Amino acid sequence: MNQKEIFKGKIFSVYQKEMDVNGHMMLRDLVVHPGGAAICVIVDHKMLFVRQTRAGIGNVSTLEIPAGTIDPNEDPKVCAMRELNEETGMEADDLSLITAFWPTPGYDSEVIYVYSAIHPRQAKHRLAMDETEDITLEWIDLNDAYQMVKTGKIRDGKTILAIYHAKLEQIETKQE
């Protein structure tokens, strides 16, 4: 199958790819993205969110779990630890993978790795945030965050996944 790069940006590229679909050759546009890593941080039943403005949805401010783009050849877990520090000033003993998922597999190669922070705490040494980031931190009770998903106040996919995962863990722990 042939493919041709039609756009190369700072974070992703777009290729036009020839594909055989049921014996018919078709052209598809494919976004090639290095992937991302996100971190669910919960302390005393409160979940840590970053509030930031997102261009893709009309410069609207969103509540999301901390996350960032994986650098070339970077391990997703290393990226997650770095982003946790850069965006929140926190660190953790370790990270546990919740899942890795494709947000939009119909046209995008991106994989997002979602981790849970194990023993999170304030970092001894804070890394500098990217110059383009304008982030505010918010700690929200897990039950309130869950309600915010149900009412549409939180609409970011990786964040919804992390909230639902945390809520399921809470339910399973109560049943034990």
Side-chain angles (χ1 to χ4, degrees), residues 6-60:
I6 58 176
F7 171 79
K8 182 162 184 68
K10 181 181 173 188
I11 298 174
F12 63 87
S13 298
V14 178
Y15 288 82
Q16 198 161 63
K17 183 177 184 176
E18 190 176 34
M19 294 179 59
D20 182 343
V21 179
N22 297 324
H24 301 284
M25 296 309 284
M26 306 180 109
L27 286 178
R28 296 278 197 242
D29 293 335
L30 172 65
V31 175
V32 177
H33 188 286
I39 313 92
C40 177
V41 179
I42 298 177
V43 175
D44 296 330
H45 204 264
K46 291 186 189 250
M47 194 168 185
L48 181 58
F49 294 89
V50 294
R51 182 174 293 281
Q52 57 189 328
T53 302
R54 293 299 201 176
I57 55 171
N59 292 335
V60 172

Side-chain angles (χ1 to χ4, degrees), residues 15-165:
Y15 288 82
Q16 198 161 63
K17 183 177 184 176
E18 190 176 34
M19 294 179 59
D20 182 343
V21 179
N22 297 324
H24 301 284
M25 296 309 284
M26 306 180 109
L27 286 178
R28 296 278 197 242
D29 293 335
L30 172 65
V31 175
V32 177
H33 188 286
I39 313 92
C40 177
V41 179
I42 298 177
V43 175
D44 296 330
H45 204 264
K46 291 186 189 250
M47 194 168 185
L48 181 58
F49 294 89
V50 294
R51 182 174 293 281
Q52 57 189 328
T53 302
R54 293 299 201 176
I57 55 171
N59 292 335
V60 172
S61 175
T62 64
L63 275 176
E64 304 174 31
I65 60 174
T69 302
I70 299 169
D71 290 336
N73 302 313
E74 183 178 35
D75 180 273
K77 190 174 184 179
V78 170
C79 173
M81 281 288 206
R82 174 176 45 79
E83 291 294 334
L84 176 62
N85 185 303
E86 284 179 10
E87 291 192 355
T88 70
M90 296 192 76
E91 60 188 11
D93 287 348
D94 198 6
L95 299 175
S96 174
L97 182 66
I98 295 171
T99 194
F101 73 100
W102 298 301
T104 49
Y107 66 87
D108 190 345
S109 69
E110 181 179 23
V111 176
I112 298 178
Y113 299 83
V114 182
Y115 294 92
S116 179
I118 299 170
H119 302 119
R121 63 188 170 283
Q122 285 301 121
K124 292 177 182 144
H125 304 285
R126 173 113 190 228
L127 300 172
M129 254 194 283
D130 293 339
E131 64 218 25
T132 59
E133 291 180 313
D134 183 23
I135 290 174
T136 305
L137 301 181
E138 293 187 32
W139 288 94
I140 299 174
D141 181 83
L142 179 57
N143 292 328
D144 293 340
Y146 180 71
Q147 290 303 316
M148 292 171 82
V149 171
K150 289 173 66 174
T151 60
K153 290 180 181 167
I154 293 178
R155 297 179 60 189
D156 175 65
K158 66 187 175 300
T159 303
I160 292 169
L161 188 150
I163 292 168
Y164 281 4
H165 173 78

